Amino acid sequence: MDLKQKLQSEIAAAVERTGLVETVPDVKVEVPKDKENGDFSTNIAMVLTKQAKRNPREIAEILTEAIDRNAADIKEISIAGPGFINFKVDESSLTEVILKVLQEKENFGRTERAESEKVLIEFVSANPTGDLHIGHARNASVGDTLANVMDFAGYDVTREYYINDAGNQIHNLALSIDARYQEALGKPFEMPEDGYMGKDIKEIGADLAAKSPELLEQPEEERIETFRTLGVEYEMAKLKKDLSDFNVKFDNWFSETSLYTKGEVEAALSKMTANGYTFEQDGALWLRTTDFGDDKDRVLRKSDDTYTYLMPDIAYHYDKVERGFDRLIDMFGADHHGYIKRLKGSLGALGEDPDMLEIQIMQMVRLIENGEEVKMSKRTGKAVTLRELIDTIGADACRYFLAMRSADTHFDFDMDLAKSESSDNPVYYAQYAHARICSILRQADSLGHTLDTSADLSVITNEQALDLIKKMAQFPNMIKSAAEYRATQRVANYIQELASAFHKFYNRDKVLSDDIEKVKAYLLLIESVRQTLENALGIIGVSAPEKM
């Protein structure tokens, strides 16, 4: 149990001991913005006012007498304003965090939940018809960071990519490849009206013409089906390579086509019909999503007996439920906002709880270079791809920048800043803190110093060192809150604060000096900070370099 949890438990116990109220509410403990107010603060006195029928200042005075200082490692308690209770903790309890980090190492900050909720996070899921662009990059960065932080917080997380390998877009992909195949063989060809004109499609057609000219003898329908399969395989291999180089790994790649081959589309449709939520009108089959707050009902099967895009999506989410997941999280692009109520409504129509589905909408990203928006790639004249970003800026900077703002806000990605080697660049600033610690540790090793966990940590007394320890101690609670509120930007914010606290400490005091006892303590301190930085950077999918 960390300091904050200890304090929360003791405050709750004190409320119960005083008998002020019959039911003890949740106790909130925060870190004050002003250090003069102490290490922690609670507003519990104001929360209890209505139940206790007393003014908050009086309640605060009663509680300060009832709180066991030893139980929560408290050195000082004070009351401020209308009834805020402020706490300063014992420095000796602070330094225990150092040993905790050194003992837990890569697991520092990780939580075991009593009942691990099974969560499926579906993200990116771009159509396999072309390259991933900056919008997909943000989706990948935020989605993977959310999966990492929820895993760290004790959830049972599965990462999934939904492959849209059925429908008109894939059919047009196959027709486009066939046209380029014919072209490469010197045959007359005609690109489909909604065909794909990219360089990669031309390359696939030429490659197939060189390796398999005999496919031309196949019946057209059979050849198109072959090109559909090969085209999806080619595009998915490229997408997987780009995502892997972006440090994004998926546990499962789910094929839309499998929903049809396994009969899951019809199964989902039958269940919604049996539950009384479908109806026929104008020769089409509709779903009454208005029963679940949608602005209008939605067509599932058109009058020509073909399904709308919504139907396989419903079947896919039904499959997720059938696989035993407790929580479904979808990361959608900015143009999918209207999909939220209809998808949640479809779960209700299937007899499931609509609230088990959470949909996060990714807002737009603007690339800025030399103070101007970059809309097109200089190389291709089309949208800037993830691959170009990785090659130009690097995966680390791209991952970090795209994860450091709330997903539901528009974001201007400053490419010049991302490439700069200065303290203004947040990822450089954070990685430099880690590299600097590694440099100090190497220097210490060359001088014959080793990490000695029996060192006297009470010699750590200067303000910047204690602030650094306090910031490090916040890591586990930050992880819990980032997971609970799906707020991945909190991880990046924390990294900046921890790196800043380290730099302030480093500029204030020497780690290596003639004071051997202090050197031993400081080496343990900076190694614990290094480990915490590595853990935090790893959650965002960013490396922790030893040299820069």
Side-chain angles (χ1 to χ4, degrees), residues 319-330:
D319 179 272
K320 292 179 182 181
V321 174
E322 290 291 285
R323 280 185 275 158
F325 290 101
D326 306 305
R327 176 76 50 192
L328 312 178
I329 301 177
D330 293 350

Side-chain angles (χ1 to χ4, degrees), residues 131-134 199 367 369 373-392 415:
D131 294 314
L132 298 174
H133 55 61
I134 183 64
K199 180 183 176 184
L367 286 175
E369 190 172 29
E373 183 178 358
V374 180
K375 291 186 177 180
M376 298 296 175
S377 163
K378 294 175 183 176
R379 182 174 63 84
T380 65
K382 296 184 179 180
V384 177
T385 65
L386 172 58
R387 171 52 56 188
E388 287 176 299
L389 288 171
I390 294 172
D391 292 344
T392 304
M415 295 175 68

Side-chain angles (χ1 to χ4, degrees), residues 460-477:
I460 301 176
T461 57
N462 88 55
E463 182 183 352
Q464 287 73 22
L466 294 174
D467 285 345
L468 179 57
I469 296 171
K470 290 173 189 175
K471 180 54 62 177
M472 186 167 59
Q474 293 172 17
F475 183 60
N477 276 309

Side-chain angles (χ1 to χ4, degrees), residues 404-443:
M404 69 184 189
R405 295 286 182 271
S406 176
D408 60 1
T409 60
H410 292 272
F411 177 52
D412 284 352
F413 190 131
D414 189 332
M415 295 175 68
D416 297 312
L417 180 60
K419 288 185 282 187
S420 71
E421 296 184 358
S422 73
S423 59
D424 292 331
N425 179 349
V427 66
Y428 181 86
Y429 184 70
Q431 289 181 320
Y432 186 66
H434 185 273
R436 175 173 269 177
I437 293 172
C438 291
S439 175
I440 297 169
L441 292 171
R442 286 193 300 270
Q443 188 180 353

Side-chain angles (χ1 to χ4, degrees), residues 490-506:
R490 293 187 185 184
V491 184
N493 292 340
Y494 174 83
I495 291 171
Q496 289 302 296
E497 292 166 3
L498 183 62
S500 175
F502 168 73
H503 288 305
K504 287 176 182 176
F505 158 73
Y506 178 81

